[in-house]
Amino acid sequence: MSDDTRSGLAALGIGATVIFLTVAVMTTTVVAGDNSYRRIVKDLRTTYGATEDTLYGAGVMGELAVALIRPAGVSSMTFTILRGLDQFRKSEHDFNQIVRSAVEAKWRPLVVYSAPGENQWTHVYAQPDGSHILLLVVTRSRSDAVVVQARINPDKLSAFIDNPQILGVPVGKHF
Amino acid sequence: MRARIATTLIVLMAAASPVFAQAQLKLDNLNKLAEGAKQVVDVTIDEQLLQLASKFLSASRSPDEAQIKELVKDLKGVYVKRFEFDADGKYSTADIEPILKQLRTPGWSRIVGVTSKGEGGQNVEVFVMTEASLIKGIAVVAAQPRELTVVNVVGPIDVDRLSRLQGQFGIPALELPGKPR
């Protein structure tokens, strides 16, 4: 086998691994039978005419980073960045209503913060998952919104805060 | 015999579960104030989430975190509603009345009442629910002309312990007696 063939196969292997890990992460982040995350993204897009920010594949790269680095007890994470929510000039109450109606009953509202004067809205929902906690966070400024769903191990996250390491490399005592 | 033991256990469990539930206030009537508010904070942490959230606290990190972790160990829930308005008169005593009505029911006692006069004067009232010597919950109603905060902590807690929880789990600084410096 020539060197070119070997390097070609190696590149193919790396590519396949990256795709496999990405798919693996994306499938693990979906809560079985729960469409809350997708519904929020869809409803914000249709109601406000918002567009998903796919700049540099931010969502996929973030998920891949979580799969490889596993920071702070975060075993899976998926997120979507939405732009242009101010296009249709809907009132802030629509945003709160959209989020509330999109989230399924199994999610418990943990924190709701609304400051229409400052164009800031944050909804945090949670549900226990064994020793883990599932978090669904929707935050919005005037024109942008981020929807994040993550599965977190509080014990590991606490240990990470005490001794932060990424890929086994200490990253400092304090951020 | 087994059936009798099982029945007794079920009755005991049924009797035990609402022990602290009585100390949880119904705060939903305040939700209507959100429309006219400049800022709204709504925190709902039940026992299960509270215990999970307390895992983020580490006794080795600081003595404060150790104390708070110990404090929340037995709590059943933390509920906070805070409204900030951009003008006076955006809420009235009628809006708070349904909360106060619950706090006038048997079991609840008003233990602290602070009224500070003048511009921006704050009225703070602290209530505890007790049964025998057991504290089942605590409630704080803090009202200012442009701000209204209601805190309800369910579980065994007293004012001193509550003061230590200020700034944690969405509980704002309430200038309660015994606040640690």
Side-chain angles (χ1 to χ4, degrees):
Chain A
M1 194 182 291
S2 71
D3 286 347
D4 284 344
T5 311
R6 276 199 198 106
S7 60
L9 285 172
L12 191 66
I14 291 167
T17 308
V18 168
I19 291 165
F20 170 75
L21 284 171
T22 306
V23 171
V25 172
M26 292 178 85
T27 50
T28 55
T29 52
V30 175
V31 180
D34 179 57
N35 288 317
S36 303
Y37 174 89
R38 290 193 189 103
R39 269 193 70 188
I40 292 169
V41 172
K42 179 176 165 280
D43 291 354
L44 291 179
R45 286 183 61 178
T46 52
T47 308
Y48 294 101
T51 51
E52 279 185 43
D53 191 337
T54 54
L55 189 65
Y56 308 119
V60 172
M61 290 309 288
E63 287 156 7
L64 189 59
V66 170
L68 293 171
I69 299 170
R70 299 263 169 166
V74 181
S75 55
S76 66
M77 183 175 81
T78 188
F79 66 92
T80 300
I81 301 168
L82 294 159
R83 308 271 191 209
L85 276 83
D86 53 349
Q87 289 185 71
F88 295 167
R89 301 203 175 278
K90 290 272 182 180
S91 81
E92 70 277 5
H93 303 299
D94 291 328
F95 178 78
N96 288 335
Q97 191 54 43
I98 287 164
V99 175
R100 284 196 186 104
S101 59
V103 175
E104 291 181 14
K106 66 180 80 169
W107 288 98
R108 301 179 201 171
L110 198 62
V111 179
V112 178
Y113 172 80
S114 295
E118 297 165 17
N119 294 304
Q120 294 288 336
W121 296 267
T122 301
H123 289 241
V124 181
Y125 290 84
Q127 58 173 296
D129 182 22
S131 60
H132 288 67
I133 185 167
L134 292 168
L135 285 177
L136 177 61
V137 182
V138 190
T139 184
R140 186 205 159 174
S141 62
R142 181 190 296 274
S143 60
D144 303 332
V146 180
V147 187
V148 182
Q149 185 172 301
R151 186 170 181 266
I152 292 166
N153 183 325
D155 289 321
K156 285 186 181 172
L157 177 55
S158 186
F160 179 88
I161 293 167
D162 286 337
N163 183 24
Q165 291 185 353
I166 291 176
L167 294 172
V169 179
V171 290
K173 189 73 180 166
H174 302 287
F175 292 108
Chain B
M1 184 64 182
R2 277 184 184 176
R4 194 173 293 173
I5 292 169
T7 308
T8 310
L9 282 172
I10 290 166
V11 169
L12 281 174
M13 283 167 71
S17 57
V19 161
F20 291 102
Q22 293 171 343
Q24 186 179 340
L25 298 171
K26 291 183 177 69
L27 304 175
D28 289 351
N29 72 290
L30 293 175
N31 290 347
K32 61 180 182 234
L33 296 178
E35 274 188 39
K38 187 175 79 172
Q39 197 179 85
V40 181
V41 178
D42 190 342
V43 178
T44 312
I45 312 175
D46 63 19
E47 184 180 9
Q48 202 175 5
L49 289 176
L50 197 60
Q51 298 317 316
L52 280 169
S54 71
K55 289 183 179 178
F56 290 109
L57 301 165
S58 168
S60 62
R61 209 171 295 137
S62 80
D64 280 354
E65 286 195 24
Q67 277 187 352
I68 294 162
K69 191 168 185 158
E70 180 64 24
L71 195 63
V72 300
K73 197 177 68 182
D74 300 319
L75 294 185
K76 309 297 174 194
V78 174
Y79 308 91
V80 179
K81 282 192 189 286
R82 182 171 176 270
F83 303 91
E84 202 179 309
F85 305 95
D86 54 9
D88 294 3
K90 288 285 184 87
Y91 75 95
S92 67
T93 48
D95 295 314
I96 317 171
E97 184 50 31
I99 311 292
L100 297 176
K101 195 176 172 186
Q102 295 173 64
L103 294 168
R104 284 195 287 265
T105 56
W108 284 105
S109 313
R110 182 172 173 270
I111 56 161
V112 176
V114 179
T115 304
S116 53
K117 294 187 176 178
E119 203 175 324
Q122 188 176 31
N123 295 327
V124 181
E125 292 184 285
V126 182
F127 302 81
V128 289
M129 174 173 257
T130 51
E131 193 174 272
S133 58
L134 176 69
I135 294 176
K136 295 158 80 175
I138 197 163
V140 180
V141 180
Q144 282 181 288
R146 296 186 181 186
E147 208 173 297
L148 174 66
T149 305
V150 179
V151 178
N152 180 205
V153 179
V154 182
I157 187 167
D158 53 28
V159 178
D160 183 49
R161 287 176 154 208
L162 177 66
S163 68
R164 292 181 189 281
L165 281 180
Q166 292 179 82
Q168 305 287 334
F169 302 106
I171 299 173
L174 294 162
E175 295 175 24
L176 293 169
K179 181 185 174 184
R181 293 183 186 276

